[in-house]
Amino acid sequence: HLRADLLLLKLPAAVLRLVETADLVLCNPPFRAVDAAVSPTLLRQAGMPTDWPVLLRQRAEVAFLAHNLRMLKQGGELGMFLPASFMAGHTFEPFREWLLNSLTVEKVVGFPTSAFGGSEAKVFALIARKLTPPPRHRTTLLALAFDGCRNGEIVVSRSDAIARLDAGFHLVRAPKSAELTLGTVGATLTRGWPVKELEATRHTFFHTTDFKEGSERRVFAGLLASRPTAPIAYTGDFLLGRVGRACHTQVLRVQSGA
């Protein structure tokens, strides 16, 4: 057993002697920012880019990943937990592109929120080999449910994996046979205006904060339908919440009027 702080710029010789000696590395790094940027020397030695944005280079996860890759033999296997931002965040697309170009990413497992006690962080397990990926390599994405059972699995191309390494995202997008969509039934989707613009028109408007639990009926007066550019809901139309944790419960049908 060897105890060392892998966030220190100057590592003990005993750690350095482990370079390219491991067949398998398992890692659960701390998910947090560090005071200083990760050493460019460490990134170069691990074969990682040194020109990423500061946000990416000042993460403890990046330092641990670099150390793990240095310790692995060529062809060795890595199993490492990473936060959702690395696997699915738009800012981290350059990271995923490098990852999928440099390692053979065999599988990414998405864990449910609160999988780790005392934390609600969304966590993913990266399983990869220190090998240049073969042409047209495809990656398996797996989502786990709260009981540990599989919640879905999908195999994606390199380009889709760069977009997001999140099984749930790709499973929703995957074409399904004989599915019924809003487009199929001829529905038209209209996005509401920002609140400031609505307030400027002095019209009565409906906001997500106006949704109430249950089947409560609401009556609105004073809405002017004369403005052709304003998004108006008419009889039979539905109002749907767009953001927020409870948006899937926010559904209202216009029974009469506009």
Side-chain angles (χ1 to χ4, degrees):
H1 291 79
L2 173 66
R3 181 177 178 178
D5 184 352
L6 292 184
L7 296 177
L8 294 176
L9 292 181
K10 188 173 182 179
L11 292 170
V15 172
L16 298 178
R17 285 197 293 269
L18 295 174
V19 171
E20 295 187 356
T21 62
D23 296 300
L24 171 67
V25 171
L26 300 175
C27 181
N28 180 18
F31 292 176
R32 64 180 176 89
V34 292
D35 294 334
V38 178
S39 165
T41 302
L42 171 62
L43 295 177
R44 280 194 295 270
Q45 291 173 343
M48 299 170 71
T50 59
D51 58 351
W52 283 334
V54 173
L55 172 68
L56 194 59
R57 290 191 286 110
Q58 288 189 199
R59 297 296 308 180
E61 300 94 316
V62 174
F64 275 81
L65 176 59
H67 284 300
N68 290 342
L69 293 177
R70 291 177 72 211
M71 292 178 187
L72 277 175
K73 294 178 180 177
Q74 191 67 19
E77 189 171 15
L78 169 69
M80 181 174 179
F81 286 116
L82 287 170
S85 55
F86 281 72
M87 298 291 99
H90 177 70
T91 305
F92 290 81
E93 267 194 25
F95 167 78
R96 292 191 293 276
E97 185 172 9
W98 165 81
L99 186 71
L100 290 148
N101 286 340
S102 305
L103 304 177
T104 300
V105 180
E106 297 176 342
K107 184 178 289 187
V108 173
V109 183
F111 287 75
T113 306
S114 302
F116 289 83
S119 171
E120 292 189 3
K122 177 69 175 174
V123 178
F124 290 81
L126 168 70
I127 301 171
R129 288 199 176 273
K130 191 178 178 180
L131 286 174
T132 302
R136 298 182 181 180
H137 175 71
R138 294 170 68 82
T139 299
T140 299
L141 305 181
L142 177 65
L144 293 184
F146 281 96
D147 58 3
C149 296
R150 295 190 177 196
N151 207 20
E153 183 174 330
I154 189 169
V155 179
V156 298
S157 65
R158 175 184 169 277
S159 59
D160 283 343
I162 290 174
R164 286 181 73 148
L165 284 167
D166 180 357
F169 173 79
H170 292 289
L171 285 166
V172 170
R173 294 178 66 229
K176 301 176 179 63
S177 58
E179 66 179 4
L180 183 66
T181 66
L182 291 172
T184 305
V185 298
T188 300
L189 290 177
T190 302
R191 180 173 172 173
W193 280 6
V195 171
K196 288 187 177 180
E197 291 186 32
L198 289 167
E199 290 175 340
T201 65
R202 291 182 293 181
H203 293 172
T204 301
F205 61 88
F206 191 85
H207 189 260
T208 49
T209 56
D210 293 315
F211 277 102
K212 305 295 181 182
E213 293 183 2
S215 56
E216 181 180 341
R217 295 188 179 192
R218 306 294 300 277
V219 177
F220 289 85
L223 177 63
L224 303 178
S226 59
R227 287 175 60 91
T229 56
I232 306 295
Y234 296 95
T235 303
D237 287 348
F238 287 87
L239 302 180
L240 310 174
R242 187 176 61 85
V243 295
R245 291 189 176 185
C247 68
H248 64 286
T249 69
Q250 297 178 334
V251 182
L252 179 144
R253 181 176 181 272
V254 182
Q255 286 192 317
S256 63

